[in-house]
Amino acid sequence: MNTRNLISTALGALVFGCVVTAQPALPSAFKSRTVSSPDGASIFVRSAGSGPVVVLLHGYAETSDSWAPLATELIKSYTVVVPDLRGIGKSSYPPGGYDKKTQASDIRAVVTTLGLDRASVVSHDIGIMVAYAYAARHPDKVERLVVMDAPIPGIAPWDDIVKNPALWHFSFNGPDAERLVAGRERIYLDRIWNAFSGDPKKPDEATRAFYAAQYAQPAAMRAGFAQFAAFPKDVEDNTIFQRTKLKMPVLAVGGAKSFGATEAVVMRNAATNVREAVVPNAGHWLMEESPAFTVKLIQDFLKDQLPPAPPQSASACREACHPK
């Protein structure tokens, strides 16, 4: 191999390495704004695209940037709305309001402030708890619901799930917890990322460093712990919500090395029209561990919302079907 080829190969490897380890980020087409929620939070949100509306709700130990692989594809056919949940990322860190019913109000404020109304909602982790509350409070405003790899407080088999020692972080909160992790946010988050990953290399180093910096912001860990401390209130609210099952189509997705088919078990206790899907070889972090497979699942589920393609004229059909 000559010198020029060696240099080209080295540069190619360097560029490829940078792509692989780049921090997560939504495409530059997304425009940002901050929406004031009537429940005392300022919600950072980005949106782009056109067509039917899809709202993406992220989970804990991540921010809305986790949706980059899905958002990149969806903006080709949909209006995509991607908020940071209250107390996470670039949204505000209010002292309260971390129950998921209140956070559903945050999301409704985002949707209406953007001049939108009905939407499909795609969610992961803590985001599915907010998505469920949103769908239960506004069933006529949700076209389709996707929930990925997390339990829902109060929805069976919640009582069995929370006995799992791997979910220690559900009860790890309060002022002592904040002092214990101050300056050690990466250690705490690594424990969560490692425990629920099917691939020990995922999320990758650049992704972990990016999120750890987000959660190291002043008050961010306090707000994060509050998401879990609100679970008893979520159980109370969801016990009431569950009396009326969701009617919209629901896609329940689990990683094969994480929730797997249990996600559909949960949702069949809360909804009447549930489609089950399991992502092979993946753990909890579906956008990091198996983005292509997961994106395709969601696209296939949402595609019924798209308007039908206009019929071709006879001459156009002849041209397309029998090119010269």
Side-chain angles (χ1 to χ4, degrees), residues 166-211:
L167 300 177
W168 59 270
H169 57 291
F170 281 15
S171 301
F172 185 76
N173 52 63
D176 292 332
E178 291 178 53
R179 291 194 297 127
L180 283 167
V181 300
R184 305 177 185 89
E185 294 84 5
R186 173 63 188 268
I187 298 172
Y188 165 82
L189 292 169
D190 270 339
R191 181 69 185 86
I192 295 173
W193 289 322
N194 293 341
F196 299 105
S197 176
D199 179 349
K201 300 185 296 297
K202 303 291 180 66
D204 63 26
E205 173 58 30
T207 300
R208 292 177 185 228
F210 174 70
Y211 289 137

Side-chain angles (χ1 to χ4, degrees), residues 7-83:
I7 293 173
S8 298
T9 301
L11 288 174
L14 179 61
V15 170
F16 179 75
C18 289
V19 171
V20 169
T21 61
Q23 71 180 45
L26 296 186
S28 59
F30 278 82
K31 306 303 179 186
S32 66
R33 64 178 295 175
T34 299
V35 172
S36 295
S37 167
D39 290 282
S42 297
I43 305 299
F44 175 77
V45 59
R46 287 169 287 181
S47 59
S50 61
V53 181
V54 182
V55 178
L56 309 181
L57 301 181
H58 67 86
Y60 186 69
E62 298 187 310
T63 71
S64 57
D65 284 294
S66 64
W67 291 116
L70 178 62
T72 298
E73 295 303 316
L74 290 186
I75 58 172
K76 299 172 183 177
S77 303
Y78 300 90
T79 298
V80 184
V81 177
V82 195

